[in-house]
Amino acid sequence: VEAVSFDAIADTLEQIYADRADEVDAYFEKLFEAYDLGEVVRRAKSFESIKAKLVDYSRMGTRIDSFEDAEVVINDGVGVKLLLDDTSPAAINKLLDALIEMASDGAIRIDAVKNYRGRGTDSYLSEKQIRNFKAALDKVEHHAPSFYSEQERVKKSGYTSLQLDLVFVLRDGTQVSCDFHIRGRDVDDVSFAEHFAYKLRKGKIDLNRISCPELLSFAEQLQTLTSEEKELYSNYQNACYEYARAKEQGGNPPVPQ
């Protein structure tokens, strides 16, 4: 399938993901509101992102000859983010209880647990919580999630987030791949800047559609960085993650310069 033929597939998938995201969002909001954990934010993958991913995989040699092939490639069509008001160990335990409840009810299947952190940043799950979470999921039918190793979890950029690869089961039995991110609000602010820069590098942002002058200026500066400046910016970004995570944990760290 040539890249130009991905337009129709991407257009159809965009609508499907939007419809599925509504039901997924409603379920998560109801559950997490009961546990008083924070704000649920959902997104359905856009036409531009879907097409870009299909083109990328096609160029890497993945055969995409059908709509079904495309759905396999797009394994993050629906995304959910939980912005935690409280990132204390007690609050994280409540979150894990909620996830175990969902898994036990058959609403979700947890396929992977990625407890990302920066080089000098504490992750959201402690080693003890990981062990307890894994032990609980081992008792749930059809669950055998992979847990990222320590080496896989450490991100050079400083990126800090708990991420789960889920399969969400809709009321009609349809299974939806879902990318679930969990982090505090301070860390999420830093994550936005990193993700924006990533999308800019991948050509997924149309500068003509940016209405915020500050964001447009940020984008233009990112595009003119030299190799040395990119390394300095990467170090600054890592320091920002450390600062934000320390604030969430009740610390009073110095502001990165």
Side-chain angles (χ1 to χ4, degrees):
V1 178
E2 295 179 358
V4 67
S5 67
F6 291 148
D7 282 358
I9 293 176
D11 188 55
T12 302
L13 282 177
E14 180 184 40
Q15 185 56 55
I16 289 174
Y17 293 145
D19 293 341
R20 291 174 178 174
D22 288 339
E23 184 174 338
V24 172
D25 180 53
Y27 184 91
F28 272 99
E29 278 198 340
K30 181 178 180 181
L31 180 71
F32 291 132
E33 182 179 339
Y35 277 86
D36 191 26
L37 288 167
E39 179 187 1
V40 175
V41 180
R42 63 95 165 156
R43 68 108 178 99
K45 206 167 186 69
S46 68
F47 171 89
E48 292 80 10
S49 291
I50 294 169
K51 182 178 177 182
K53 192 165 187 177
L54 293 177
V55 171
D56 283 348
Y57 272 73
S58 180
R59 287 173 177 168
M60 290 186 292
T62 301
R63 289 184 62 86
I64 306 175
D65 298 327
S66 66
F67 183 83
E68 289 73 22
D69 291 340
E71 281 214 280
V72 172
V73 169
I74 308 297
N75 58 359
D76 58 348
V78 174
V80 176
K81 180 168 60 177
L82 176 62
L83 296 178
L84 297 170
D85 295 320
D86 180 0
T87 66
S88 68
I92 296 297
N93 284 334
K94 287 171 61 178
L95 165 66
L96 298 181
D97 288 343
L99 292 170
I100 292 166
E101 177 185 330
M102 294 173 75
S104 300
D105 289 345
I108 62 171
R109 186 183 75 233
I110 302 174
D111 287 343
V113 179
K114 308 167 186 178
N115 193 30
Y116 291 130
R117 68 173 181 84
R119 288 165 293 187
T121 309
D122 290 334
S123 55
Y124 284 102
L125 293 187
S126 69
E127 294 302 317
K128 180 179 179 180
Q129 287 172 321
I130 290 174
R131 290 195 300 271
N132 291 342
F133 190 36
K134 186 177 186 304
L137 291 177
D138 284 343
K139 299 176 183 178
V140 179
E141 190 176 6
H142 306 306
H143 270 73
S146 63
F147 283 76
Y148 271 29
S149 68
E150 176 64 18
Q151 184 177 0
E152 291 174 308
R153 287 174 357 214
V154 177
K155 307 296 283 184
K156 181 181 178 182
S157 69
Y159 180 70
T160 302
S161 181
L162 174 58
Q163 291 183 204
L164 306 179
D165 291 346
L166 306 179
V167 174
F168 190 93
V169 183
L170 301 182
R171 285 188 297 268
D172 64 3
T174 301
Q175 295 190 350
V176 180
S177 295
C178 180
D179 190 27
F180 185 32
H181 294 215
I182 304 126
R183 49 184 172 259
R185 294 180 185 275
D186 290 320
V187 167
D188 188 62
D189 288 341
V190 184
S191 174
F192 170 82
E194 181 182 1
H195 191 58
F196 179 83
Y198 166 79
K199 291 176 69 176
L200 189 65
R201 289 196 307 272
K202 290 291 185 178
K204 296 180 180 180
I205 293 179
D206 183 355
L207 296 183
N208 294 320
R209 299 177 64 178
I210 297 178
S211 57
C212 173
E214 291 83 1
L215 195 57
L216 181 59
S217 176
F218 178 51
E220 292 171 343
Q221 290 178 61
L222 286 174
Q223 290 182 315
T224 60
L225 293 178
T226 64
S227 296
E228 182 179 351
E229 288 170 336
K230 287 178 181 177
E231 183 65 23
L232 289 171
Y233 178 73
S234 177
N235 292 335
Y236 172 72
Q237 181 176 263
N238 198 313
C240 287
Y241 272 116
E242 292 181 17
Y243 170 77
R245 184 72 180 108
K247 277 185 62 182
E248 289 179 352
Q249 294 173 295
N252 187 26
V255 177
Q257 300 297 320

